[in-house]
Amino acid sequence: MKIKSVGYIGIAAVEPKSWLRYGVDVVGMMPSRAIPGEGWGEPQSNHIDNRSGIAPDGSVFLKMDDWQWRVAVHPADDKRGLLYLGLELEDKLALEGAVAELDAQGINVRIGSDQEARSRAVSAIAYLQDPAGNSLELFYGPTKDYNFTSPCHGQQFVAGHLGIGHLNLFVDDLESNFDFYTRVLGFKLSDYIRMGPESALKFLRCNERHHSLALIGMKNVSGLQHLMFEMRDIDDVGKALDRAMQQEVKVSSSLGRHRNDGMLSFYMNSPSGFDVEIGCGCLLIDDSWTVNEFCEGDVWGHHGLVEAVMASSDSLRNE
């Protein structure tokens, strides 16, 4: 199986409109120009006209590049964090092959209906779960409506074929999840860091971005720790930091540069409880890359990051 990218993400929030303000005014995305499931050119589809990014059920959809949407935020009273993750495949044959592989391994997978695919603005979709219980959606053929314009003075995201960025997931059973993402879904290990006799952080890639997914082994903890959006350059990152401070968003980790992927970034709280990393300059690698264990997480900066990770794990453990 060959996953091309982490194409989209669905998250939960008590008040999705808080993400509309945060995603647009702080992160610099734009409201989706159409809600998934609406057809372009249909006169009754008034959301296309007002470009609010808000669906009739209150869900919020955000756009960061040529794709119709990348981030969906759905209303939920009793859940926060990750709802689903969209993993992109090349085409129909790749999706059919992936489903056949999963079936052959006894993994529960369901092919979605045309309407379910339409609700995500993709050509076809299939559903499964990872060993931690996270909902995954295999898909191909995303709708591209182009015309991305950030409200933040020409800001651009590094997305496209590389996907939305990356995310870090706490998992209670690291080895079963690592085996699933590498042996079943075909992700590759870029590097890792051991945090104790029973805990480690493993960075996984599915394209040339150093990692699209990282798994943090943490006993009795499961959930989204942080989500990273990559920007074009250091000025875009700095301007986002300014906006966060102006809007009094809590900055959980100061500006710094990671040692393993070279990312220059800062971390801030999101309306859903997990952190958002804003960075630039992520390392691009290929299959000539050699897996490394590294011992120090940062070249400089990122003060408060370890404390923020531990606070996040405690919060999820107590939910």
Side-chain angles (χ1 to χ4, degrees):
M1 191 183 307
K2 174 56 179 172
I3 304 297
K4 290 181 62 179
S5 74
V6 176
Y8 59 75
I9 189 170
I11 56 182
V14 174
E15 178 47 74
K17 285 185 180 178
S18 65
W19 260 95
L20 187 62
R21 295 186 293 271
Y22 177 81
V24 173
D25 296 337
V26 179
V27 180
M29 298 181 183
M30 69 178 288
S32 293
R33 301 174 57 230
I35 303 304
E38 294 183 327
W40 285 90
E42 296 179 10
Q44 69 271 25
S45 188
N46 56 18
H47 285 283
I48 293 175
D49 296 330
N50 64 34
R51 300 183 181 181
S52 68
I54 304 174
D57 69 352
S59 296
V60 165
F61 292 86
L62 297 167
K63 179 177 172 68
M64 60 190 294
D65 63 354
D66 287 346
W67 286 35
Q68 183 175 323
W69 70 281
R70 289 287 195 171
V71 178
V73 188
H74 301 287
D77 293 332
D78 59 351
K79 182 177 176 62
R80 66 173 190 168
L82 181 64
L83 287 179
Y84 55 84
L85 196 62
L87 305 178
E88 183 188 12
L89 293 165
E90 180 67 34
D91 52 24
K92 180 179 180 180
L93 292 178
L95 181 60
E96 291 174 349
V99 170
E101 287 181 37
L102 294 165
D103 275 335
Q105 296 182 63
I107 295 171
N108 188 22
V109 58
R110 179 178 69 85
I111 299 176
S113 66
D114 289 344
Q115 182 58 40
E116 286 174 316
R118 182 178 171 84
S119 73
R120 294 284 193 260
V122 299
S123 298
I125 195 167
Y127 302 93
L128 69 155
Q129 288 188 334
D130 69 13
N134 296 303
S135 295
L136 305 179
E137 301 179 356
L138 304 178
F139 73 93
Y140 79 90
T143 298
K144 295 183 179 180
D145 61 2
Y146 307 98
N147 294 317
F148 170 75
T149 302
S150 172
C152 299
H153 308 292
Q155 177 189 291
Q156 296 291 324
F157 292 90
V158 178
H161 74 284
L162 296 174
I164 59 169
H166 73 236
L167 66 156
N168 279 28
L169 289 175
F170 287 120
V171 293
D172 177 66
D173 186 338
L174 178 60
E175 287 310 306
S176 67
N177 283 278
F178 176 72
D179 283 350
F180 175 81
Y181 279 99
T182 55
R183 297 178 187 273
V184 177
L185 296 187
F187 282 72
K188 295 180 180 180
L189 179 65
S190 295
D191 52 34
Y192 65 99
I193 183 169
R194 280 184 272 209
M195 302 180 293
E198 297 182 357
S199 182
L201 175 54
K202 297 191 176 184
F203 298 87
L204 308 178
R205 69 184 188 274
C206 58
N207 52 47
E208 60 263 43
R209 176 176 268 145
H210 176 274
H211 65 280
S212 295
L213 174 68
L215 301 175
I216 310 173
M218 193 77 71
K219 289 298 182 183
N220 302 315
V221 181
S222 181
L224 180 58
Q225 188 274 317
H226 84 257
L227 177 61
M228 186 282 294
F229 301 119
E230 186 175 358
M231 296 185 176
R232 173 182 51 192
D233 56 37
I234 189 173
D235 288 334
D236 283 342
V237 174
K239 290 174 183 177
L241 179 57
D242 279 351
R243 294 193 298 270
M245 297 177 70
Q246 289 162 4
Q247 307 248 352
E248 298 184 340
V249 176
K250 181 180 178 182
V251 175
S252 51
S253 172
S254 67
L255 196 67
R257 187 179 293 280
H258 287 309
R259 184 171 298 280
N260 65 332
D261 68 354
M263 185 78 73
L264 189 153
S265 64
F266 72 94
Y267 293 72
M268 59 181 169
N269 288 173
S270 78
S272 292
F274 58 84
D275 275 357
V276 166
E277 179 184 9
I278 300 295
C280 68
C282 182
L283 183 66
L284 301 179
I285 60 179
D286 59 25
D287 287 343
S288 66
W289 178 261
T290 300
V291 175
N292 299 287
E293 177 183 3
F294 65 102
C295 300
E296 295 176 340
D298 299 293
V299 179
W300 57 270
H302 286 144
H303 302 294
L305 180 56
V306 173
E307 293 82 359
V309 171
M310 296 312 298
S312 178
S313 68
D314 290 341
S315 177
L316 287 167
R317 185 179 288 114
N318 294 328
E319 283 188 350

